[in-house]
Amino acid sequence: AVVSTQSGHYGREFSGRISFYMTNFGEEATQIGSARALKFKDVVFPQYREAGVFIWRGYTPLEMMHQCFGTNKDFGKGKQMPVHYTGAKVNIQAVSSPLGTQVLFR
């Protein structure tokens, strides 16, 4: 289901209905595997190719579509670029465009 939902979004980007979309074909297993290793209380700081983590934690494909289209049902109220999901209900921080912003150094 993840691939078919994402392939539909990818086509909408090129038709002008979504301004931006990043696919993650073939990366779903690594996302689900890493998400399974975490406890739900663990906060996730994702990058934009980790839709599988959101789905594993209960984010629905419909919620993803609301975010990509910036509808009034989007948790971010349409203020983020498409594919920048966020969800307090799934304990995941908002996706960040610049890679590496989620890395913590000690």
Side-chain angles (χ1 to χ4, degrees), residues 22-43:
M22 298 296 295
T23 65
N24 58 354
F25 299 131
E27 300 174 14
E28 296 88 354
T30 57
Q31 298 163 16
I32 300 295
S34 64
R36 284 190 69 191
L38 300 172
K39 295 180 174 111
F40 191 81
K41 68 179 183 174
D42 294 331
V43 179

Side-chain angles (χ1 to χ4, degrees), residues 1 13-14 17 23 29-30 39 42 52 61 69 74 77 82 84 89 97 99 101-102:
E13 177 185 10
F14 288 104
R17 293 183 217 153
T23 65
T30 57
K39 295 180 174 111
D42 294 331
F69 285 101
D74 170 27
K77 306 299 180 209
H84 287 62
K89 77 170 196 159
S97 287
L99 296 178
T101 58
Q102 306 87 342

Side-chain angles (χ1 to χ4, degrees), residues 30-92:
T30 57
Q31 298 163 16
I32 300 295
S34 64
R36 284 190 69 191
L38 300 172
K39 295 180 174 111
F40 191 81
K41 68 179 183 174
D42 294 331
V43 179
V44 176
F45 292 85
Q47 51 94 12
Y48 47 77
R49 294 187 191 263
E50 294 179 347
V53 176
F54 282 88
I55 291 172
W56 176 258
R57 289 233 172 154
Y59 210 90
T60 68
L62 181 60
E63 291 167 334
M64 296 175 120
M65 289 175 36
H66 284 304
Q67 195 284 324
C68 286
F69 285 101
T71 73
N72 63 347
K73 294 182 181 177
D74 170 27
F75 297 121
K77 306 299 180 209
K79 296 177 184 171
Q80 288 276 15
M81 290 175 55
V83 193
H84 287 62
Y85 312 112
T86 187
K89 77 170 196 159
V90 292
N91 211 17
I92 302 178

